[in-house]
Amino acid sequence: RSLRLWEYETFRTHDILHIVCMATEDDVKANAEYIRLADEFITVEGGSNRNNYANVDLIVKVARRCQADAVWPGWGHASENPKLPAALAYHDIAFLGPSAESMDAVGDKICANILAQSCDVNVIPWSGSGLTVPETSIPEDVLLAATLGDLDQAEESAEKVGFPLMIKASEGGGGKGIRMVTNMEELRTGFVQVQAEVPGSPVFIQQLSTNSRHLEVQVVADKHGNAISLYGRDCSVQRRHQKIIEEAPVTVAPRELCAELERGAVRLAKKVRYSGVGTVEYLYNIT
């Protein structure tokens, strides 16, 4: 809808953009709005998103079939998979989002924390506290220093970080691969559970931030190293680790602190050479 509005306001016509969308049979039957807004649609297999919207090979195949100049992936699904922009770039198709390198740099929670520390963004005490890198590439020894390879390392790190704490799978999300523990006994059980929920993912621990608010900063960056913040929002109303309501402006934190969160988000975006629209998330302890 916003693309259509921009097209008309800029060119006074609706004939500049030709929008093609992928759609499953179920979406077609539901008369989904995005299908009605497109000029044409290509039907793809239904079922799990691995068959359609998260299938990188299929998206590239469809883009080449309709001779697309650019692909916008929407939200979720393949939008955060660095393989998609890389595959599209190979075929000279633009990806409307960050580069594969930027996505790769901050898509991993351990890497993201190390990079945030490296540009003076405040990070909750964790198993990788104090680790920094001069560039965006992170040496293997630095990654290993932040990662907990076994239970013995987890117990040793927990003594330094302190209870209560969170055990997290670096590749987890949506409530999977995360456990809160308050003592060593719970740590031993939770560590194994996290490993089982996200097999093969590196694991780290982070101090539990109690009585906190989930604050986010929206950033916009281009391919020339420019980045700005579009202020922040409070996303603390959640259910099962998923946001329900986003409120703006932020009212629970002082304005000067909010300004520093915005500056930190911009520094991080510039460090990883981010391009497009993105979000930097913070936990703010209000006590």
Side-chain angles (χ1 to χ4, degrees), residues 19-140:
I19 300 176
V20 182
C21 70
M22 283 173 46
T24 65
E25 289 285 356
D26 289 338
D27 289 333
V28 174
K29 290 177 182 177
N31 195 26
E33 183 183 38
Y34 77 91
I35 298 175
R36 288 186 279 114
L37 290 173
D39 294 296
E40 64 175 292
F41 65 88
I42 294 176
T43 306
V44 295
E45 184 180 349
S48 167
N49 70 351
R50 289 176 295 182
N51 300 331
N52 38 70
Y53 306 122
N55 189 323
V56 170
D57 292 336
L58 177 63
I59 295 171
V60 174
K61 180 181 177 181
V62 170
R64 295 183 66 197
R65 173 181 162 187
C66 64
Q67 298 182 315
D69 298 298
V71 169
W72 182 66
W75 297 274
H77 305 299
S79 66
E80 297 179 12
N81 187 341
K83 292 180 180 178
L84 180 57
L88 290 170
Y90 180 80
H91 295 287
D92 294 321
I93 302 172
F95 175 76
L96 301 182
S99 66
E101 293 76 19
S102 296
M103 207 182 289
D104 219 17
V106 295
D108 179 279
K109 294 181 179 65
I110 291 176
C111 292
N113 274 291
I114 293 173
L115 291 170
Q117 290 175 167
S118 301
C119 52
D120 297 322
V121 174
N122 225 347
V123 175
I124 295 172
W126 66 300
S127 52
S129 289
L131 298 173
T132 60
V133 291
E135 301 294 334
T136 54
S137 60
I138 302 176
E140 190 68 24

Side-chain angles (χ1 to χ4, degrees), residues 22 25 47 72 91 103 143 152 188-189 194 207 237:
M22 283 173 46
E25 289 285 356
W72 182 66
H91 295 287
M103 207 182 289
L143 275 175
D152 289 337
R188 297 182 186 102
T189 302
V194 167
Q207 193 177 84
V237 180

